[in-house]
């Protein structure tokens, strides 16, 4: 099999990571590479680590350029994917379109309009295979919405407890630290090295972060009832990685052994998600560059809560790796094709 693949938003962090992983995919031939403001420039001037593609010139991001490929990855800012996806539906109906942006993740038009301030583009199958029932949704799909990097971390951390019925659906609290690449590549004063190095800062405090409804949506599906989440993201002085600490109240009578069994059952056979041996805690360094999530949990008997800490690379498993994993499933390829569990150290 040789699949022709186009990547939009190739000058950004997410698009660059998609290309990096595709270069190691044995079933893929990279076709059009597009951008918006950087159209006409050499990719090597913008993504110097992508040596094999350095002389490729970025084309304009239009449906006409992207049409005709077997697969199209849309690594675009929120609000930009919907219109192009709709055009591709007409120009190239047989193409698998994978949206790494936010446009097609939410099921509620009201939630989208509240948090993003524009018209809802519709809902696509959610590209997080490790959630209950999602592999069946993704297999054979022609449209896939890749989760946000924070929701990937938080949903994988908490979903087993709600699926197993051991957690109370109210009073879920998540604090997560992300590397600066999570904010994208456009210039922002608070992401300058002199501002970010040696400092941590919160943002989106008080329920205002756009990933909050996405996290609640996924956990509510796992629980079979509404789940309320207080989510606080923080900016960490590192280029990439997420470390999330999530806590939830245990239902009466649930003990530590029952809690651990729920996570072991959920992830015991998963290739890209691992519950670490007791006493070992996740680090972002251990998953750098990999499509891998590591987590650990503990029961605070005094507070009646479980604490789960999970780490992943926001650009790999949190975006591009999850997108390629979903592509593999949709096309009937082995799920792990072109992806690795192995991180980079030191």
């Amino acid at each position: 099999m040789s699949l022709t693949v186009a990547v939009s938003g190739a000058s950004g962090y997410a698009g660059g990571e998609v290309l990096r992983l595709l270069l190691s995919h044995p079933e893929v031939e990279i076709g059009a590479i597009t951008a918006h403001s950087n159209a006409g420039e050499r990719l090597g001037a913008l993504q110097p680590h992508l040596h094999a593609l350095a002389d490729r010139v970025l084309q304009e991001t239009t449906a006409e350029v992207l049409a005709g490929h077997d697969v199209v990855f849309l690594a675009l800012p929120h609000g930009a994917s919907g219109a192009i996806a709709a055009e591709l539906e007409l120009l190239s109906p047989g193409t698998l379109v994978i949206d790494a942006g936010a446009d097609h993740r939410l099921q509620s038009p009201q939630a989208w309009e509240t948090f993003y301030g524009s018209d809802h583009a519709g809902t696509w199958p959610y590209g997080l295979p490790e959630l209950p029932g999602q592999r069946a949704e993704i297999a054979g799909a022609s449209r896939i919405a890749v989760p946000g990097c924070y929701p990937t971390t938080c949903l994988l951390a908490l979903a087993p407890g709600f699926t197993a019925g051991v957690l109370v659906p109210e009073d879920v609290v998540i604090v997560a630290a992300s590397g600066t690449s999570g904010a994208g590549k456009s210039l922002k004063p608070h992401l300058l090295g002199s501002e970010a190095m040696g400092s941590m800062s919160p943002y989106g405090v008080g329920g205002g972060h756009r990933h909050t409804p996405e996290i609640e949506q996924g956990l509510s599906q796992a629980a079979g009832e509404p789940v309320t989440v207080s989510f606080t993201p923080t900016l960490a002085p590192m280029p990439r990685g997420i470390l999330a600490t999530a806590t939830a109240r245990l239902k009466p009578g649930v003990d530590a052994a029952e809690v651990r069994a729920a996570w072991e059952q959920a992830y015991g056979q998963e290739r890209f998600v691992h519950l670490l041996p007791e006493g070992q805690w996740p680090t972002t360094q251990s998953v750098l560059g990999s499509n891998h999530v590591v987590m650990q949990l503990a029961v605070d008997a005094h507070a009646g809560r479980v604490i789960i800490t999970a780490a992943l690379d926001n650009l790999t498993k949190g975006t591009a790796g999850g997108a390629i994993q979903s592509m593999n499933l949709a096309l009937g390829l082995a799920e792990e094709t072109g992806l690795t569990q192995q991180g980079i150290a030191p």
Side-chain angles (χ1 to χ4, degrees):
M1 181 184 295
S2 181
L3 302 163
T4 58
V5 179
V7 178
S8 67
S11 59
Y13 289 134
E17 186 74 351
V18 170
L19 288 170
R20 182 182 77 86
L21 296 175
L22 288 176
L23 284 167
S24 298
H25 197 294
E27 308 292 347
V28 159
E29 176 185 343
I30 297 174
I33 302 174
T34 79
H36 178 55
S37 59
N38 296 115
E41 297 188 49
R42 286 177 61 253
L43 183 68
L46 302 165
Q47 305 280 20
H49 64 298
L50 300 177
H51 304 292
L53 300 171
D55 291 330
R56 297 283 295 273
V57 175
L58 293 165
Q59 297 176 259
E60 287 280 355
T61 298
T62 67
E64 289 77 13
V65 170
L66 298 171
H69 293 81
D70 295 308
V71 183
V72 170
F73 288 93
L74 300 176
L76 303 173
H78 71 266
S81 298
I84 289 181
E87 290 183 62
L88 283 171
E89 187 71 43
L90 299 174
L91 292 175
S92 193
T95 296
L96 168 61
V97 181
I98 300 176
D99 187 3
D103 289 31
H104 300 94
R105 297 169 185 164
L106 294 181
Q107 296 173 353
S108 166
Q110 181 179 358
W112 171 268
E113 291 164 10
T114 298
F115 281 84
Y116 291 91
S118 61
D119 292 337
H120 187 227
T123 305
W124 291 358
Y126 197 63
L128 190 50
E130 292 85 1
L131 291 182
Q134 284 308 112
R135 282 189 172 89
E137 292 287 326
I138 297 166
S142 62
R143 299 289 184 269
I144 299 170
V146 179
C149 51
Y150 277 129
T152 296
T153 322
C154 300
L155 292 176
L156 292 176
L158 284 162
F162 287 108
T163 301
V166 300
L167 301 181
V168 175
E170 300 88 18
D171 193 22
V172 177
V173 179
I174 305 169
V175 178
S178 173
T180 55
S181 62
K185 204 171 184 179
S186 60
L187 296 178
K188 302 177 181 72
H190 72 286
L191 298 180
L192 294 172
S194 57
E195 300 289 337
M197 286 188 300
S199 179
M200 288 188 68
S201 57
Y203 61 102
V205 181
H209 194 275
R210 287 169 169 160
H211 284 164
T212 300
E214 189 180 341
I215 296 168
E216 290 189 335
Q217 173 180 283
L219 294 180
S220 297
Q221 289 177 333
E225 60 182 319
V227 174
T228 303
V229 173
S230 174
F231 172 60
T232 303
T234 62
L235 185 68
M238 57 186 182
R240 52 203 290 171
I242 288 177
L243 185 71
T245 299
T247 77
R249 286 192 289 126
L250 296 173
K251 288 187 176 178
V254 174
D255 61 20
E258 189 176 353
V259 170
R260 189 166 187 90
W263 271 258
E264 288 175 341
Q265 181 176 353
Y267 298 133
Q269 302 301 315
E270 289 292 345
R271 180 176 295 270
F272 294 122
V273 183
H274 287 112
L275 179 64
L276 294 171
E278 292 192 60
Q280 182 180 352
W281 290 88
T283 65
T284 55
Q285 178 68 49
S286 69
V287 293
L288 188 66
S290 76
N291 196 57
H292 194 196
V293 184
V294 290
M295 64 182 68
Q296 183 58 276
L297 58 82
V299 170
D300 183 340
H302 173 72
R305 302 182 74 91
V306 63
I307 302 96
I308 309 101
T309 300
L312 56 68
D313 186 319
N314 59 296
L315 293 180
T316 313
K317 178 59 174 171
T319 307
I324 290 171
Q325 186 180 351
S326 294
M327 177 194 77
N328 290 339
L329 274 169
L331 296 174
L333 300 172
E335 196 170 322
E336 67 274 14
T337 308
L339 300 169
T340 181
Q341 296 176 335
Q342 315 312 318
I344 300 168

